[in-house]
Amino acid sequence: MDKRFMTGNEAIAEAALQAGCRYYFGYPITPQNEIPEYMSRRLPEVGGTFLQAESEIAAIYMVYGASGSGARVMTSSSSPGISLKQEGISYIAAGELPCVIANIMRGGPGLGGIQPSQADYFQAVKGGGHGDYHLLVLAPSTVQEAVSLTMESFDLADKYRNPVMLLGDGFIGQMMEPVVFEKRPAVSLPAKDWACTGAKGRASNLVKTLNLDPAELEKHNIKLYEKYQKMRKDEVRLENYLTDDAEVVIAAYGSVARIAKTAIQALRQKGIKVGMIRPISLFPFPYQAFADIAKRVKKILVVEMSMGQMIEDVKLGVCGAAQVSFYGRVGGMVPSYEEIVAEIEKLVKVAP
Amino acid sequence: MITEMNNMERVFGRPESLRPVSTHYCPGCGHGIVNRLVAEVIDELGIREQTIGVAPVGCAVFLYNYLNVDMFEAAHGRAPAIATGCKRVHPNMTVFTYQGDGDLAAIGTAETIHAAARGENITTIFINNATYGMTGGQMAPTSLVGQKTTTSPTGRKIERAGYPIKMAELLATLDGPAYISRVSVSSAKYVVRAKQAIRKAFETQIKGLGYSLVEVLSPCPTDWHMTPAAAIEWLEENMLPHYPLGEFKVPQEAR
Ligand SMILES: Cc1ncc(C[n+]2csc(CCOP(=O)(O)OP(=O)(O)O)c2C)c(N)n1
Ligand code: SF4
C-alpha cells in the first residue's frame, strides 16, 4: 500500500501523476504553489512536461493545446489566477477538451488575501467565463478525498470531453494528512480520434469554437446542454452525515464540512440531533437530496466561507419547503465549530 | 489533346496541402497569397501529415478551411501558447501559428515574446497589414504614424497612441529565436523571397533549432480603403521604409 504523509497540494499533484497526467502548465500563486513545485520535480522523472507559463492566460491555452493534442493535462491556480483563466476555460468547454483545473481558493475579491475561502463558488459552478457552459466541479473535504477526486477527475474529463474543476480551499491545499494512493480500476474511455496528432491516413482534425451560423451554434449549445443533463443524472456525489434522525441539517462542503462535523458531535452530546448534507459534486449539485430532506427537516443551516453562495442552490433544492439560514465567515476567516454550535442553538431555540 | 497533356511536365498546380475551395479573403488581400505559400512549403517539405497549424482570431481565422492539415483555432492572441502545448505533446510534428498584427503584437504580445524567449521550437507566420482587418480597420499596434484608421480618424498621433511596434526587430533581441525575418508580398519578386523565408523558418523548426518567425508585410485594400493596386503602392511607399525587409536572426546550425 502506497501510504504517505503530505499536503493537499502535493497529494493533488501526485494523484494527477498516478492518473496518467503527463503535462502541467501553470503560474505561481499562493496558496497552491506546492502543486507546480511538485510537478516541476516529479514530471521530468516520469517523462512528462512541466512548464511555468508567463501568465495564467498562457497556461490555460497551453492546456488547450496539449488537451487538443490528445494528452492528459492539468493546470492549477488560486482565485485571482482562476479569474484570468476564465476566457480559456470557456474556450476549452466550447471545444469539448478534457482537462483538470484545480482551484485552491483564497479570499477575494480583487487581490484579496491568501487565507482559505470558498468565495469562488458562483464562478466555478455557474460558469465564470462567457457562454452557456458548465464545468464538472468536485470539492474534496480531506486530503485523502482530494487524491481520489483528482484521479477520478481525469477519467470524468475524458468521459465527457469536458473540463473538470477540483475546487479546494487554502486549508485543503496546505493541510498535511496521511494519504493512501490506490490504483484506480481502469475504465474504458472513448478514443480521442478528434485530437490533433497529424493528419496521417485520415481526414484532418480541427479543434475550434467559432460557429458563425446561428443554427449551427444553437445545435452545439444543445449538444453541450445534453452533456450537462447527463452529468446531472449520473454524476451527483454527496455525503449524508447523520441525517437519518436529524432535526436540523447543516449544508457545507470542503473543509467547512469537517468543522461542521465537529460541531455536530458537540451538539449531539447536548442532545440536539443535527446532521449534514455535504455536496461533493457542486456541479452537478445534489438538489434532490435537499428536496428530500426538506420533506422531513424544517431547519437547514448553510455554512460557507463566503457571504452566501451555495445557499442559493440549497434554496433551489429545498424550494420553500424548509427554512434555510446562513452562517459565513469571509476574507480568510474560518468559522469555528463553536460558532456553528451557537448558530444551531439559536435556530433550535426559536419556535418553528 | 489529352494524351499530349499527359506527356507534359506539370509545373504549376494547386498544392496538396491547399484545399480546392475559394477563400473568403477580399480581392487584393495578402492573406490568400501567404496561405498558399505556407501550403506550398508544407508540400515541398513533404510534411503535410506531420504538421499541425494554429489559426488566429482575425481575417485568417478560417485558415483551416484552406489548409489540409490538423489545426487548432485559437482565441485572440493565444496561438503561441496553444502551439506550445501542442508541440510539447508532439515534439516531432511541425507546429506553426499564423497570426495578424493585432493578434500577435497587441493582445498576444506576452504569449509571443515568451514563446520566442523559451526558444519554443515552433514557427510563426505573422501578417502585418497595419490594421485590424477583421473588425473593420481599427488602429493596430503596427499602424504607421499618421495612418488613418477607424479609431485614429485623423491619423495615428504619437502623443495619443505612441509608436508602431517593429516586432521582428524586437524579437531578434532575444536569445531564444533561431530565425527571424521580414518579407513582403507586394510584388512577384518579394513573393518568391517570402516563400524562401517561410521555408527556412519551417526548416529551422524541423532541424530543432528553436523559435522561428516570418513577418509578412501584407496589403489590406478593404480597410485601407484603396484599390488592390493602390494598396500595393501604399505598402511599398509607406510600410517598406518603416519596416525594412531582411533577416534579423539566422540559425546557428552548430549550436
Ligand atoms: C478577446 C477578444 N477581443 C477582441 C476580439 C475581436 N477581434 C477579432 S479579430 C480582431 C483583430 C484582428 O486584427 P489582426 O490580428 O491584425 O488580424 P487581421 O484581421 O488584420 O488579419 C479583434 C480585435 C476577439 N475576437 N476576442
Ligand atoms: S479585411 Fe483586409 S485583411 Fe481582411 S480579408 Fe479583407 S483585405 Fe484581407
Side-chain angles (χ1 to χ4, degrees):
Chain A
M1 201 169 56
D2 186 3
K3 189 168 184 174
R4 308 186 200 181
F5 187 62
M6 61 207 311
T7 66
N9 283 335
E10 291 169 323
I12 288 169
E14 179 61 29
L17 276 170
Q18 296 202 15
C21 171
R22 287 294 175 273
Y23 297 88
Y24 175 95
F25 303 95
Y27 188 85
I29 184 168
T30 307
Q32 61 81 58
N33 288 323
E34 295 77 13
I35 301 179
E37 285 164 1
Y38 192 90
M39 287 301 205
S40 72
R41 197 165 65 238
R42 281 282 283 131
L43 271 170
E45 289 174 8
V46 294
T49 294
F50 165 86
L51 200 162
Q52 182 169 320
E54 58 271 28
S55 69
E56 288 86 352
I57 303 177
I60 195 71
Y61 284 101
M62 289 172 186
V63 168
Y64 180 104
S67 174
S69 298
R72 278 207 157 170
V73 55
M74 82 170 286
T75 185
S76 62
S77 188
S78 179
S79 310
I82 294 289
S83 289
L84 262 186
K85 288 183 197 289
Q86 290 301 330
E87 182 205 37
I89 293 174
S90 168
Y91 277 71
I92 285 172
E96 296 191 79
L97 299 177
C99 69
V100 174
I101 303 154
N103 179 6
I104 306 301
M105 292 180 280
R106 58 188 244 180
L111 197 48
I114 58 169
Q115 300 298 327
S117 161
Q118 295 179 321
D120 302 345
Y121 178 92
F122 284 151
Q123 186 194 51
V125 168
K126 307 295 175 188
H130 59 286
D132 257 322
Y133 75 90
H134 283 287
L135 310 175
L136 256 161
V137 183
L138 303 176
S141 153
T142 64
V143 175
Q144 183 64 58
E145 194 176 38
V147 166
S148 57
L149 290 181
T150 300
M151 289 185 172
E152 201 177 348
S153 293
F154 285 93
D155 286 345
L156 287 170
D158 283 347
K159 176 177 170 191
Y160 287 97
R161 281 189 65 181
N162 204 70
V164 177
M165 180 170 277
L166 199 71
L167 193 67
D169 54 65
F171 258 132
I172 295 288
Q174 298 293 325
M175 180 168 54
M176 286 187 94
E177 281 186 315
V179 280
V180 177
F181 289 88
E182 270 176 90
K183 267 222 148 15
R184 262 178 68 72
V187 286
S188 96
L189 294 165
K192 295 185 176 179
D193 52 5
W194 44 266
C196 288
T197 57
K200 198 175 171 74
R202 59 159 169 80
S204 59
N205 282 343
L206 171 62
V207 172
K208 67 146 191 173
T209 66
L210 180 69
N211 252 318
L212 286 178
D213 176 355
E216 282 302 310
L217 185 52
E218 183 179 59
K219 234 193 269 172
H220 185 59
N221 271 274
I222 291 169
K223 181 186 170 203
L224 294 179
Y225 173 77
E226 281 164 359
K227 204 160 77 170
Y228 307 139
Q229 286 299 85
K230 192 166 161 35
M231 293 174 191
R232 286 179 172 115
K233 191 168 119 331
D234 295 342
E235 305 301 345
V236 172
R237 289 159 171 72
L238 72 143
E239 182 192 5
N240 270 303
Y241 180 70
L242 304 179
T243 49
D244 283 351
D245 62 343
E247 285 150 14
V248 188
V249 160
I250 292 174
Y253 71 98
S255 46
V256 175
R258 295 170 72 126
I259 304 165
K261 277 186 184 174
T262 310
I264 288 168
Q265 271 148 21
L267 285 159
R268 282 188 171 257
Q269 268 168 20
K270 295 185 184 189
I272 306 173
K273 286 182 183 155
V274 186
M276 174 168 65
I277 296 179
R278 175 172 75 90
I280 298 170
S281 60
L282 302 181
F283 184 90
F285 189 79
Y287 291 110
Q288 192 57 49
F290 286 100
D292 292 344
I293 204 79
K295 286 178 196 148
R296 199 172 56 70
V297 171
K298 292 303 157 197
K299 283 179 180 175
I300 296 174
L301 177 70
V302 182
V303 187
E304 297 179 58
M305 287 193 282
S306 81
M307 291 306 288
Q309 300 194 14
M310 184 177 77
I311 186 175
E312 294 192 3
D313 282 323
V314 173
K315 281 182 174 169
L316 277 177
V318 166
C319 205
Q323 174 199 327
V324 180
S325 315
F326 181 75
Y327 184 71
R329 296 297 303 267
V330 289
M333 297 303 287
V334 180
S336 68
Y337 85 90
E338 292 97 334
E339 286 165 12
I340 299 174
V341 166
E343 283 303 307
I344 293 281
E345 284 177 332
K346 256 196 281 176
L347 265 187
V348 290
K349 248 181 239 147
V350 189
Chain B
M1 182 68 188
I2 300 232
T3 17
E4 213 174 288
M5 288 220 353
N6 282 346
N7 291 335
M8 285 187 209
E9 190 198 349
R10 181 175 150 132
V11 292
F12 190 79
R14 181 179 285 277
E16 195 197 342
S17 303
L18 200 62
R19 294 180 202 274
V21 294
S22 54
T23 73
H24 70 289
Y25 300 119
C26 308
C29 175
H31 274 303
I33 301 170
V34 185
N35 286 192
R36 186 190 169 96
L37 295 183
V38 171
E40 287 180 0
V41 167
I42 291 172
D43 273 19
E44 286 171 20
L45 296 171
I47 54 169
R48 193 190 73 77
E49 296 178 335
Q50 291 88 42
T51 296
I52 301 173
V54 186
V57 173
C59 278
V61 62
F62 291 128
L63 182 62
Y64 46 77
N65 288 343
Y66 313 135
L67 293 186
N68 186 16
V69 298
D70 273 8
M71 287 205 67
F72 287 91
E73 175 195 273
H76 196 22
R78 314 299 170 215
I82 294 170
T84 297
C86 176
K87 184 75 180 185
R88 295 298 177 115
V89 175
H90 299 304
N92 296 324
M93 293 279 152
T94 301
V95 179
F96 75 93
T97 72
Y98 183 109
Q99 302 174 257
D101 41 56
D103 197 79
L104 180 137
I107 196 167
T109 317
E111 284 79 359
T112 299
I113 289 180
H114 284 275
R118 282 193 303 270
E120 205 67 49
N121 195 25
I122 59 173
T123 299
T124 291
I125 309 299
F126 165 36
I127 305 297
N128 179 356
N129 58 13
T131 190
Y132 282 22
M134 192 192 214
T135 39
Q138 294 82 10
M139 189 183 74
T142 51
S143 293
L144 298 175
V145 172
Q147 187 181 334
K148 285 186 183 168
T149 71
T150 60
T151 50
S152 58
T154 56
R156 179 176 188 159
K157 301 261 189 311
I158 293 168
E159 312 84 77
R160 266 188 253 151
Y163 297 88
I165 304 182
K166 294 174 178 163
M167 278 315 278
E169 286 87 338
L170 190 152
L171 292 169
T173 64
L174 301 172
D175 295 323
Y179 180 67
I180 305 273
S181 73
R182 185 183 288 120
V183 298
S184 170
V185 288
S186 55
S187 72
K189 176 181 76 180
Y190 287 147
V191 170
V192 172
R193 288 190 201 155
K195 182 174 166 184
Q196 284 164 352
I198 292 171
R199 187 180 167 117
K200 212 161 165 179
F202 274 82
E203 283 170 346
T204 300
Q205 178 180 167
I206 291 165
K207 289 178 194 155
L209 300 174
Y211 180 84
S212 51
L213 174 135
V214 180
E215 175 173 341
V216 186
L217 305 182
S218 172
C220 172
T222 300
D223 287 330
W224 294 354
H225 304 289
M226 293 174 195
T227 62
I232 292 284
E233 221 168 278
W234 187 87
L235 186 158
E236 298 209 338
E237 272 170 24
N238 298 280
M239 288 183 80
L240 285 187
H242 186 78
Y243 295 115
L245 306 183
E247 294 184 324
F248 297 88
K249 206 150 188 203
V250 291
Q252 316 257 293
E253 307 245 345
R255 219 164 43 165

